[in-house]
Amino acid sequence: MKYEAVIGLEVHAQMLTDTKIFCGCSTRFGSEPNTQTCPVCIGMPGVLPVLNKKALEFSIRTGLATNCSIASYSRFARKNYFYPDLPKGYQISQYEHPICEHGYIEVVADGNVKKIGITRIHMEEDAGKNIHEGGGNYSFVDLNRTGVPLMEIVSEPDIRTPGEAVEYMKKLRAILRYLGVCDGNMEQGSLRCDANVSVRPGGQKEYGTRAEIKNINSFKFVEKAIEYEIKRQIKVIEDGGQVIQETRLWDPNKGITEAMRSKEEAHDYRYFPDPDLVPLTVEESVINEIRSGLPELPDAKRKRFAADFGLPEYDAELLTSEKAVSEWFEEAVHAGGQPKAVSNWIMGELMRLLNEENISIEKCLLKPGQLAEMLLLIDRGTISTKIAKTVFTGMCKTGKDAQVIVKEKGLVQVSDISAIEKVVDEIIAKHPDEAARFKAGEEKLLGFFVGQAMKATKGKANPQILNDLLKKKLS
Amino acid sequence: MKISIEHLARLARLSVTEEEKTLFANQIDGILNYVDKLNELDTVNVEPTSHVILLSNVVREDLQGDSLDREDALMNAPDRTDKFYRVPKIIE
């Protein structure tokens, strides 16, 4: 039987505020344990939490960027449970009245644009960190992260494949980074993802029983964990069993999901409105002000790049997935680079070199204007495209201008016909058999002669002139 | 009986004896019955109250304030190390 998966994602995004959501403690990552806490965030009696204005703004920004409606009335609730990383015994979250609802984002999957609904975005505080390693019969608790502002972004169960889930995560991350509300670092945990996964026989309307998969902390694992879970559930059903509603943990080492030993029977969080925090009524004027400050977002930019620069959809999507890359591209084009050529160099050589050196585009020594200059050298015939790769690598590694590298390494293209003619004559003389075969109609041997000539000129012969000359001499 | 004392005790991490279960069940039932009187009122046109103070939108600027010294923060902990709160091993 054919099955269809139904997937919804719950994404937690740490907001890039300087201080915690309800107190003035720093949110800095990687500080000495338990040095960024105060009576408010560690839940001392008699304290009063007050909402960080920036956390509210960031949430509204995100809501607007994901086509949500912003609630005119919103409030905080207490989610009650016991765990050592939760000093108050409850998490301040939002329940009945989240700040944003009913949005969507667009993802490109299998060449089609698909809308994935956003059910809600709500604000909440992060918990502390438990450390289990090396403690024997003990665990250790660091409360620095307690109270760091989070947005929980809940999608509709609109996702059907692991690939779509990855595209959704990537698009969401791109939007959050464009907005400057979250750094999107999955390894450090500032962007985390839980997946609700169920399967149903093709054509069936009702959803199957879902499992919640936790601990997915990279794009690769989003795909792998969901893929595994879908297969697991199908097997359970085909073996005559039933999928149980449960929380499962993704184990990246084993590549499987495992049922968590239920630490509590059915969750009973006893949500109720937090009496320490007053409700929020966001005025239309405030929403409009935040809306007017939104940057151009990935989708709009993608469409503009395709329309204004005549780029293929694929190029436009890739170039706009990171704000810094899109800006680099535009700068190179404004400096005179032909858009498609600039795009090719960014997506090919530049990405390869950045990956190799594991640096971001901002840290790259090569500046956009320098790429434009190099492209000009190619257009003028000063260097060949082949030689340009050597020049480009040199520029990235040293930050020097293309012309400087061309001069230093003596890479100027040879376009002097008589010089190339001399080489061509020598090669034909050296390979009479091949020349005869070519003349007899074995045309693919042209490549052989081009190769020999390039070798002799260290790749500097102008390919167009070389080709013309070879054809002329060999006919 | 309106409420499971066992469930409540588990949520609150309390252990109760059989006698206490009966005792508390009766007491809590009494409290709930008393509060139930409110259900006699017609509240169809009354907005639910989540807050008794008529205030909204109280926010603070994103400015750093003082944090506690680690020593002060850990001082009241039932168990600790130099840098951490220490708790019985959490097994998941």
mmCIF file of all heavy atoms in Angstrom, chain A residues 83-129:
data_model
loop_
_atom_site.group_PDB
_atom_site.id
_atom_site.type_symbol
_atom_site.label_atom_id
_atom_site.label_comp_id
_atom_site.label_asym_id
_atom_site.label_seq_id
_atom_site.Cartn_x
_atom_site.Cartn_y
_atom_site.Cartn_z
ATOM 1 N N TYR A 83 11.085 20.045 36.560
ATOM 2 C CA TYR A 83 12.294 19.543 35.955
ATOM 3 C C TYR A 83 13.431 20.386 36.509
ATOM 4 O O TYR A 83 13.247 21.586 36.774
ATOM 5 C CB TYR A 83 12.218 19.669 34.418
ATOM 6 C CG TYR A 83 12.960 18.566 33.706
ATOM 7 C CD1 TYR A 83 12.622 17.230 33.927
ATOM 8 C CD2 TYR A 83 14.013 18.849 32.836
ATOM 9 C CE1 TYR A 83 13.314 16.214 33.296
ATOM 10 C CE2 TYR A 83 14.699 17.829 32.197
ATOM 11 C CZ TYR A 83 14.347 16.513 32.436
ATOM 12 O OH TYR A 83 15.036 15.508 31.805
ATOM 13 N N PRO A 84 14.607 19.806 36.721
ATOM 14 C CA PRO A 84 15.663 20.568 37.401
ATOM 15 C C PRO A 84 16.126 21.827 36.660
ATOM 16 O O PRO A 84 16.665 22.732 37.283
ATOM 17 C CB PRO A 84 16.812 19.562 37.492
ATOM 18 C CG PRO A 84 16.159 18.234 37.427
ATOM 19 C CD PRO A 84 14.978 18.403 36.523
ATOM 20 N N ASP A 85 15.901 21.863 35.329
ATOM 21 C CA ASP A 85 16.346 23.061 34.619
ATOM 22 C C ASP A 85 15.298 24.180 34.648
ATOM 23 O O ASP A 85 15.449 25.206 34.003
ATOM 24 C CB ASP A 85 16.726 22.717 33.165
ATOM 25 C CG ASP A 85 15.570 22.118 32.376
ATOM 26 O OD1 ASP A 85 14.410 22.222 32.833
ATOM 27 O OD2 ASP A 85 15.823 21.539 31.308
ATOM 28 N N LEU A 86 14.213 23.945 35.397
ATOM 29 C CA LEU A 86 13.117 24.919 35.447
ATOM 30 C C LEU A 86 12.922 25.369 36.890
ATOM 31 O O LEU A 86 12.120 24.803 37.623
ATOM 32 C CB LEU A 86 11.844 24.256 34.915
ATOM 33 C CG LEU A 86 10.662 25.175 34.639
ATOM 34 C CD1 LEU A 86 10.892 25.970 33.363
ATOM 35 C CD2 LEU A 86 9.386 24.363 34.508
ATOM 36 N N PRO A 87 13.660 26.402 37.312
ATOM 37 C CA PRO A 87 13.706 26.712 38.746
ATOM 38 C C PRO A 87 12.359 27.118 39.346
ATOM 39 O O PRO A 87 12.123 26.855 40.522
ATOM 40 C CB PRO A 87 14.725 27.849 38.840
ATOM 41 C CG PRO A 87 14.903 28.368 37.458
ATOM 42 C CD PRO A 87 14.572 27.246 36.529
ATOM 43 N N LYS A 88 11.488 27.737 38.581
ATOM 44 C CA LYS A 88 10.222 28.192 39.163
ATOM 45 C C LYS A 88 9.200 27.076 39.297
ATOM 46 O O LYS A 88 8.206 27.225 39.995
ATOM 47 C CB LYS A 88 9.595 29.302 38.290
ATOM 48 C CG LYS A 88 10.426 30.575 38.233
ATOM 49 C CD LYS A 88 9.646 31.743 37.646
ATOM 50 C CE LYS A 88 9.227 31.533 36.209
ATOM 51 N NZ LYS A 88 10.374 31.392 35.283
ATOM 52 N N GLY A 89 9.403 25.965 38.605
ATOM 53 C CA GLY A 89 8.386 24.913 38.595
ATOM 54 C C GLY A 89 7.318 25.193 37.553
ATOM 55 O O GLY A 89 6.343 24.458 37.420
ATOM 56 N N TYR A 90 7.473 26.280 36.819
ATOM 57 C CA TYR A 90 6.597 26.553 35.676
ATOM 58 C C TYR A 90 7.380 27.375 34.663
ATOM 59 O O TYR A 90 8.328 28.071 35.012
ATOM 60 C CB TYR A 90 5.323 27.291 36.087
ATOM 61 C CG TYR A 90 5.536 28.637 36.736
ATOM 62 C CD1 TYR A 90 5.679 29.785 35.968
ATOM 63 C CD2 TYR A 90 5.594 28.769 38.123
ATOM 64 C CE1 TYR A 90 5.883 31.024 36.553
ATOM 65 C CE2 TYR A 90 5.803 30.005 38.725
ATOM 66 C CZ TYR A 90 5.947 31.129 37.934
ATOM 67 O OH TYR A 90 6.160 32.352 38.509
ATOM 68 N N GLN A 91 6.992 27.228 33.424
ATOM 69 C CA GLN A 91 7.602 28.022 32.360
ATOM 70 C C GLN A 91 6.611 29.113 31.969
ATOM 71 O O GLN A 91 5.427 28.816 31.769
ATOM 72 C CB GLN A 91 7.893 27.123 31.150
ATOM 73 C CG GLN A 91 8.497 27.865 29.962
ATOM 74 C CD GLN A 91 8.472 27.043 28.683
ATOM 75 O OE1 GLN A 91 7.603 26.189 28.500
ATOM 76 N NE2 GLN A 91 9.419 27.280 27.802
ATOM 77 N N ILE A 92 7.076 30.344 31.870
ATOM 78 C CA ILE A 92 6.184 31.391 31.377
ATOM 79 C C ILE A 92 6.155 31.278 29.851
ATOM 80 O O ILE A 92 7.180 31.342 29.179
ATOM 81 C CB ILE A 92 6.629 32.796 31.802
ATOM 82 C CG1 ILE A 92 6.765 32.873 33.332
ATOM 83 C CG2 ILE A 92 5.615 33.845 31.305
ATOM 84 C CD1 ILE A 92 7.263 34.219 33.842
ATOM 85 N N SER A 93 4.946 31.052 29.343
ATOM 86 C CA SER A 93 4.767 30.815 27.925
ATOM 87 C C SER A 93 3.477 31.516 27.504
ATOM 88 O O SER A 93 2.932 32.316 28.256
ATOM 89 C CB SER A 93 4.678 29.302 27.701
ATOM 90 O OG SER A 93 4.504 29.002 26.334
ATOM 91 N N GLN A 94 2.998 31.226 26.302
ATOM 92 C CA GLN A 94 1.690 31.744 25.914
ATOM 93 C C GLN A 94 0.834 30.560 25.518
ATOM 94 O O GLN A 94 1.343 29.592 24.943
ATOM 95 C CB GLN A 94 1.819 32.711 24.736
ATOM 96 C CG GLN A 94 2.578 33.975 25.086
ATOM 97 C CD GLN A 94 2.338 35.065 24.055
ATOM 98 O OE1 GLN A 94 2.874 35.001 22.972
ATOM 99 N NE2 GLN A 94 1.509 36.040 24.400
ATOM 100 N N TYR A 95 -0.432 30.603 25.843
ATOM 101 C CA TYR A 95 -1.282 29.453 25.580
ATOM 102 C C TYR A 95 -2.486 29.847 24.733
ATOM 103 O O TYR A 95 -2.485 29.675 23.522
ATOM 104 C CB TYR A 95 -1.699 28.830 26.911
ATOM 105 C CG TYR A 95 -2.428 27.526 26.797
ATOM 106 C CD1 TYR A 95 -1.872 26.450 26.102
ATOM 107 C CD2 TYR A 95 -3.675 27.355 27.393
ATOM 108 C CE1 TYR A 95 -2.540 25.249 25.999
ATOM 109 C CE2 TYR A 95 -4.350 26.153 27.302
ATOM 110 C CZ TYR A 95 -3.787 25.103 26.602
ATOM 111 O OH TYR A 95 -4.450 23.920 26.497
ATOM 112 N N GLU A 96 -3.489 30.467 25.366
ATOM 113 C CA GLU A 96 -4.713 30.769 24.607
ATOM 114 C C GLU A 96 -4.587 31.966 23.674
ATOM 115 O O GLU A 96 -5.283 32.049 22.686
ATOM 116 C CB GLU A 96 -5.873 31.045 25.572
ATOM 117 C CG GLU A 96 -6.277 29.844 26.355
ATOM 118 C CD GLU A 96 -6.805 30.271 27.706
ATOM 119 O OE1 GLU A 96 -6.101 31.030 28.398
ATOM 120 O OE2 GLU A 96 -7.908 29.860 28.067
ATOM 121 N N HIS A 97 -3.732 32.896 24.027
ATOM 122 C CA HIS A 97 -3.658 34.115 23.226
ATOM 123 C C HIS A 97 -2.233 34.404 22.774
ATOM 124 O O HIS A 97 -1.584 35.299 23.314
ATOM 125 C CB HIS A 97 -4.213 35.307 24.020
ATOM 126 C CG HIS A 97 -5.663 35.182 24.365
ATOM 127 N ND1 HIS A 97 -6.658 35.478 23.473
ATOM 128 C CD2 HIS A 97 -6.286 34.747 25.494
ATOM 129 C CE1 HIS A 97 -7.842 35.263 24.038
ATOM 130 N NE2 HIS A 97 -7.642 34.814 25.270
ATOM 131 N N PRO A 98 -1.755 33.641 21.790
ATOM 132 C CA PRO A 98 -0.388 33.876 21.301
ATOM 133 C C PRO A 98 -0.314 35.216 20.570
ATOM 134 O O PRO A 98 -1.334 35.725 20.111
ATOM 135 C CB PRO A 98 -0.156 32.713 20.336
ATOM 136 C CG PRO A 98 -1.516 32.331 19.851
ATOM 137 C CD PRO A 98 -2.447 32.601 21.008
ATOM 138 N N ILE A 99 0.885 35.739 20.452
ATOM 139 C CA ILE A 99 1.052 37.058 19.836
ATOM 140 C C ILE A 99 0.766 37.039 18.327
ATOM 141 O O ILE A 99 0.270 38.015 17.779
ATOM 142 C CB ILE A 99 2.466 37.634 20.150
ATOM 143 C CG1 ILE A 99 2.616 39.061 19.667
ATOM 144 C CG2 ILE A 99 3.585 36.778 19.603
ATOM 145 C CD1 ILE A 99 1.855 40.078 20.467
ATOM 146 N N CYS A 100 1.059 35.915 17.652
ATOM 147 C CA CYS A 100 0.817 35.842 16.200
ATOM 148 C C CYS A 100 0.098 34.536 15.840
ATOM 149 O O CYS A 100 0.376 33.500 16.426
ATOM 150 C CB CYS A 100 2.124 35.865 15.412
ATOM 151 S SG CYS A 100 3.333 37.072 15.941
ATOM 152 N N GLU A 101 -0.786 34.613 14.850
ATOM 153 C CA GLU A 101 -1.506 33.417 14.394
ATOM 154 C C GLU A 101 -1.778 33.466 12.891
ATOM 155 O O GLU A 101 -1.785 34.538 12.282
ATOM 156 C CB GLU A 101 -2.879 33.337 15.094
ATOM 157 C CG GLU A 101 -2.834 32.769 16.494
ATOM 158 C CD GLU A 101 -4.241 32.656 17.080
ATOM 159 O OE1 GLU A 101 -4.862 33.709 17.342
ATOM 160 O OE2 GLU A 101 -4.698 31.522 17.259
ATOM 161 N N HIS A 102 -2.083 32.285 12.343
ATOM 162 C CA HIS A 102 -2.609 32.156 10.972
ATOM 163 C C HIS A 102 -1.729 32.776 9.897
ATOM 164 O O HIS A 102 -2.169 33.627 9.143
ATOM 165 C CB HIS A 102 -4.016 32.773 10.874
ATOM 166 C CG HIS A 102 -4.933 32.350 11.962
ATOM 167 N ND1 HIS A 102 -5.163 31.025 12.256
ATOM 168 C CD2 HIS A 102 -5.649 33.072 12.862
ATOM 169 C CE1 HIS A 102 -6.008 30.957 13.270
ATOM 170 N NE2 HIS A 102 -6.308 32.176 13.663
ATOM 171 N N GLY A 103 -0.490 32.352 9.829
ATOM 172 C CA GLY A 103 0.396 32.841 8.778
ATOM 173 C C GLY A 103 0.791 31.727 7.826
ATOM 174 O O GLY A 103 0.220 30.635 7.859
ATOM 175 N N TYR A 104 1.750 32.005 6.984
ATOM 176 C CA TYR A 104 2.302 30.975 6.100
ATOM 177 C C TYR A 104 3.637 31.435 5.555
ATOM 178 O O TYR A 104 3.939 32.635 5.572
ATOM 179 C CB TYR A 104 1.341 30.687 4.935
ATOM 180 C CG TYR A 104 1.175 31.838 3.972
ATOM 181 C CD1 TYR A 104 2.062 32.002 2.901
ATOM 182 C CD2 TYR A 104 0.177 32.783 4.146
ATOM 183 C CE1 TYR A 104 1.929 33.080 2.028
ATOM 184 C CE2 TYR A 104 0.046 33.862 3.280
ATOM 185 C CZ TYR A 104 0.922 34.001 2.225
ATOM 186 O OH TYR A 104 0.810 35.064 1.365
ATOM 187 N N ILE A 105 4.448 30.490 5.125
ATOM 188 C CA ILE A 105 5.616 30.844 4.326
ATOM 189 C C ILE A 105 5.610 29.983 3.069
ATOM 190 O O ILE A 105 4.956 28.945 3.019
ATOM 191 C CB ILE A 105 6.959 30.701 5.086
ATOM 192 C CG1 ILE A 105 7.205 29.268 5.549
ATOM 193 C CG2 ILE A 105 7.031 31.630 6.252
ATOM 194 C CD1 ILE A 105 8.567 29.087 6.222
ATOM 195 N N GLU A 106 6.331 30.464 2.060
ATOM 196 C CA GLU A 106 6.393 29.721 0.806
ATOM 197 C C GLU A 106 7.725 29.004 0.707
ATOM 198 O O GLU A 106 8.764 29.582 0.993
ATOM 199 C CB GLU A 106 6.255 30.685 -0.387
ATOM 200 C CG GLU A 106 4.847 31.211 -0.555
ATOM 201 C CD GLU A 106 4.726 32.175 -1.726
ATOM 202 O OE1 GLU A 106 5.747 32.505 -2.344
ATOM 203 O OE2 GLU A 106 3.586 32.590 -1.999
ATOM 204 N N VAL A 107 7.672 27.735 0.312
ATOM 205 C CA VAL A 107 8.918 27.009 0.082
ATOM 206 C C VAL A 107 8.889 26.456 -1.340
ATOM 207 O O VAL A 107 7.827 26.241 -1.915
ATOM 208 C CB VAL A 107 9.120 25.851 1.079
ATOM 209 C CG1 VAL A 107 9.115 26.349 2.506
ATOM 210 C CG2 VAL A 107 8.061 24.773 0.906
ATOM 211 N N VAL A 108 10.086 26.277 -1.891
ATOM 212 C CA VAL A 108 10.182 25.656 -3.209
ATOM 213 C C VAL A 108 10.605 24.204 -2.989
ATOM 214 O O VAL A 108 11.671 23.937 -2.453
ATOM 215 C CB VAL A 108 11.212 26.383 -4.094
ATOM 216 C CG1 VAL A 108 11.280 25.725 -5.470
ATOM 217 C CG2 VAL A 108 10.846 27.846 -4.232
ATOM 218 N N ALA A 109 9.711 23.281 -3.334
ATOM 219 C CA ALA A 109 10.031 21.856 -3.193
ATOM 220 C C ALA A 109 9.690 21.157 -4.502
ATOM 221 O O ALA A 109 8.600 21.343 -5.034
ATOM 222 C CB ALA A 109 9.246 21.247 -2.037
ATOM 223 N N ASP A 110 10.615 20.383 -5.000
ATOM 224 C CA ASP A 110 10.461 19.678 -6.278
ATOM 225 C C ASP A 110 10.043 20.639 -7.395
ATOM 226 O O ASP A 110 9.209 20.313 -8.234
ATOM 227 C CB ASP A 110 9.415 18.553 -6.166
ATOM 228 C CG ASP A 110 9.737 17.596 -5.044
ATOM 229 O OD1 ASP A 110 10.929 17.263 -4.905
ATOM 230 O OD2 ASP A 110 8.816 17.207 -4.299
ATOM 231 N N GLY A 111 10.614 21.838 -7.370
ATOM 232 C CA GLY A 111 10.350 22.794 -8.436
ATOM 233 C C GLY A 111 9.032 23.543 -8.304
ATOM 234 O O GLY A 111 8.736 24.410 -9.100
ATOM 235 N N ASN A 112 8.224 23.188 -7.306
ATOM 236 C CA ASN A 112 6.951 23.887 -7.128
ATOM 237 C C ASN A 112 6.984 24.771 -5.886
ATOM 238 O O ASN A 112 7.590 24.410 -4.889
ATOM 239 C CB ASN A 112 5.799 22.881 -6.965
ATOM 240 C CG ASN A 112 5.664 22.005 -8.179
ATOM 241 O OD1 ASN A 112 5.711 22.476 -9.310
ATOM 242 N ND2 ASN A 112 5.527 20.696 -7.940
ATOM 243 N N VAL A 113 6.289 25.905 -5.990
ATOM 244 C CA VAL A 113 6.159 26.752 -4.810
ATOM 245 C C VAL A 113 4.981 26.246 -3.997
ATOM 246 O O VAL A 113 3.891 26.016 -4.526
ATOM 247 C CB VAL A 113 5.942 28.223 -5.206
ATOM 248 C CG1 VAL A 113 5.699 29.077 -3.970
ATOM 249 C CG2 VAL A 113 7.146 28.749 -5.974
ATOM 250 N N LYS A 114 5.229 26.005 -2.707
ATOM 251 C CA LYS A 114 4.170 25.465 -1.855
ATOM 252 C C LYS A 114 4.051 26.316 -0.596
ATOM 253 O O LYS A 114 5.045 26.730 -0.018
ATOM 254 C CB LYS A 114 4.527 24.020 -1.476
ATOM 255 C CG LYS A 114 3.516 23.373 -0.556
ATOM 256 C CD LYS A 114 3.753 21.894 -0.371
ATOM 257 C CE LYS A 114 2.766 21.361 0.668
ATOM 258 N NZ LYS A 114 2.856 19.922 0.838
ATOM 259 N N LYS A 115 2.806 26.592 -0.204
ATOM 260 C CA LYS A 115 2.571 27.355 1.023
ATOM 261 C C LYS A 115 2.513 26.396 2.215
ATOM 262 O O LYS A 115 1.771 25.416 2.174
ATOM 263 C CB LYS A 115 1.231 28.084 0.939
ATOM 264 C CG LYS A 115 1.329 29.442 0.312
ATOM 265 C CD LYS A 115 -0.004 30.170 0.394
ATOM 266 C CE LYS A 115 0.046 31.396 -0.505
ATOM 267 N NZ LYS A 115 -1.208 32.131 -0.515
ATOM 268 N N ILE A 116 3.283 26.699 3.254
ATOM 269 C CA ILE A 116 3.194 25.931 4.496
ATOM 270 C C ILE A 116 2.603 26.874 5.554
ATOM 271 O O ILE A 116 3.165 27.941 5.819
ATOM 272 C CB ILE A 116 4.584 25.453 4.974
ATOM 273 C CG1 ILE A 116 5.352 24.738 3.846
ATOM 274 C CG2 ILE A 116 4.449 24.584 6.224
ATOM 275 C CD1 ILE A 116 4.912 23.350 3.523
ATOM 276 N N GLY A 117 1.485 26.470 6.116
ATOM 277 C CA GLY A 117 0.809 27.323 7.087
ATOM 278 C C GLY A 117 1.561 27.432 8.400
ATOM 279 O O GLY A 117 2.229 26.491 8.833
ATOM 280 N N ILE A 118 1.465 28.605 9.021
ATOM 281 C CA ILE A 118 1.990 28.800 10.374
ATOM 282 C C ILE A 118 0.772 28.903 11.286
ATOM 283 O O ILE A 118 -0.061 29.805 11.122
ATOM 284 C CB ILE A 118 2.795 30.110 10.481
ATOM 285 C CG1 ILE A 118 3.902 30.170 9.433
ATOM 286 C CG2 ILE A 118 3.315 30.328 11.896
ATOM 287 C CD1 ILE A 118 5.235 29.687 9.832
ATOM 288 N N THR A 119 0.630 27.979 12.206
ATOM 289 C CA THR A 119 -0.505 27.991 13.122
ATOM 290 C C THR A 119 -0.398 29.168 14.077
ATOM 291 O O THR A 119 -1.344 29.922 14.255
ATOM 292 C CB THR A 119 -0.545 26.694 13.948
ATOM 293 O OG1 THR A 119 -0.361 25.592 13.070
ATOM 294 C CG2 THR A 119 -1.853 26.564 14.691
ATOM 295 N N ARG A 120 0.788 29.294 14.665
ATOM 296 C CA ARG A 120 0.964 30.347 15.673
ATOM 297 C C ARG A 120 2.445 30.600 15.942
ATOM 298 O O ARG A 120 3.293 29.748 15.673
ATOM 299 C CB ARG A 120 0.287 29.927 16.989
ATOM 300 C CG ARG A 120 0.809 28.586 17.530
ATOM 301 C CD ARG A 120 0.019 28.128 18.723
ATOM 302 N NE ARG A 120 0.516 28.702 19.954
ATOM 303 C CZ ARG A 120 -0.234 28.882 21.043
ATOM 304 N NH1 ARG A 120 -1.509 28.545 21.027
ATOM 305 N NH2 ARG A 120 0.276 29.409 22.137
ATOM 306 N N ILE A 121 2.714 31.773 16.469
ATOM 307 C CA ILE A 121 4.044 32.077 17.002
ATOM 308 C C ILE A 121 3.810 32.634 18.394
ATOM 309 O O ILE A 121 3.030 33.560 18.553
ATOM 310 C CB ILE A 121 4.780 33.138 16.159
ATOM 311 C CG1 ILE A 121 4.950 32.646 14.721
ATOM 312 C CG2 ILE A 121 6.130 33.479 16.784
ATOM 313 C CD1 ILE A 121 5.568 33.691 13.791
ATOM 314 N N HIS A 122 4.421 32.002 19.382
ATOM 315 C CA HIS A 122 4.264 32.595 20.710
ATOM 316 C C HIS A 122 5.609 32.813 21.393
ATOM 317 O O HIS A 122 6.619 32.237 21.015
ATOM 318 C CB HIS A 122 3.287 31.784 21.574
ATOM 319 C CG HIS A 122 3.807 30.448 22.021
ATOM 320 N ND1 HIS A 122 3.250 29.266 21.608
ATOM 321 C CD2 HIS A 122 4.799 30.119 22.863
ATOM 322 C CE1 HIS A 122 3.885 28.263 22.173
ATOM 323 N NE2 HIS A 122 4.842 28.743 22.935
ATOM 324 N N MET A 123 5.591 33.703 22.393
ATOM 325 C CA MET A 123 6.797 34.018 23.154
ATOM 326 C C MET A 123 6.856 33.124 24.373
ATOM 327 O O MET A 123 5.823 32.780 24.960
ATOM 328 C CB MET A 123 6.743 35.467 23.649
ATOM 329 C CG MET A 123 6.743 36.504 22.557
ATOM 330 S SD MET A 123 6.582 38.172 23.246
ATOM 331 C CE MET A 123 4.803 38.336 23.340
ATOM 332 N N GLU A 124 8.053 32.727 24.766
ATOM 333 C CA GLU A 124 8.217 32.011 26.021
ATOM 334 C C GLU A 124 9.648 32.135 26.495
ATOM 335 O O GLU A 124 10.511 32.641 25.788
ATOM 336 C CB GLU A 124 7.801 30.546 25.882
ATOM 337 C CG GLU A 124 8.604 29.748 24.872
ATOM 338 C CD GLU A 124 8.070 28.322 24.704
ATOM 339 O OE1 GLU A 124 6.863 28.094 24.890
ATOM 340 O OE2 GLU A 124 8.889 27.447 24.380
ATOM 341 N N GLU A 125 9.889 31.663 27.716
ATOM 342 C CA GLU A 125 11.249 31.717 28.246
ATOM 343 C C GLU A 125 11.910 30.354 28.072
ATOM 344 O O GLU A 125 11.253 29.327 28.162
ATOM 345 C CB GLU A 125 11.236 32.128 29.725
ATOM 346 C CG GLU A 125 10.361 31.231 30.596
ATOM 347 C CD GLU A 125 10.373 31.630 32.067
ATOM 348 O OE1 GLU A 125 11.154 32.511 32.442
ATOM 349 O OE2 GLU A 125 9.602 31.035 32.842
ATOM 350 N N ASP A 126 13.211 30.381 27.825
ATOM 351 C CA ASP A 126 13.963 29.137 27.708
ATOM 352 C C ASP A 126 14.204 28.568 29.102
ATOM 353 O O ASP A 126 14.072 29.278 30.112
ATOM 354 C CB ASP A 126 15.300 29.407 27.006
ATOM 355 C CG ASP A 126 15.819 28.180 26.251
ATOM 356 O OD1 ASP A 126 15.314 27.062 26.514
ATOM 357 O OD2 ASP A 126 16.719 28.341 25.410
ATOM 358 N N ALA A 127 14.528 27.282 29.151
ATOM 359 C CA ALA A 127 14.892 26.640 30.422
ATOM 360 C C ALA A 127 16.409 26.648 30.556
ATOM 361 O O ALA A 127 17.122 27.056 29.639
ATOM 362 C CB ALA A 127 14.360 25.220 30.443
ATOM 363 N N GLY A 128 16.902 26.191 31.679
ATOM 364 C CA GLY A 128 18.354 26.096 31.882
ATOM 365 C C GLY A 128 18.918 24.887 31.165
ATOM 366 O O GLY A 128 18.253 24.254 30.344
ATOM 367 N N LYS A 129 20.151 24.573 31.500
ATOM 368 C CA LYS A 129 20.821 23.480 30.806
ATOM 369 C C LYS A 129 21.237 22.421 31.821
ATOM 370 O O LYS A 129 21.869 22.744 32.831
ATOM 371 C CB LYS A 129 22.061 24.052 30.109
ATOM 372 C CG LYS A 129 22.491 23.232 28.941
ATOM 373 C CD LYS A 129 23.656 23.883 28.253
ATOM 374 C CE LYS A 129 24.308 22.800 27.425
ATOM 375 N NZ LYS A 129 25.511 23.203 26.791
#
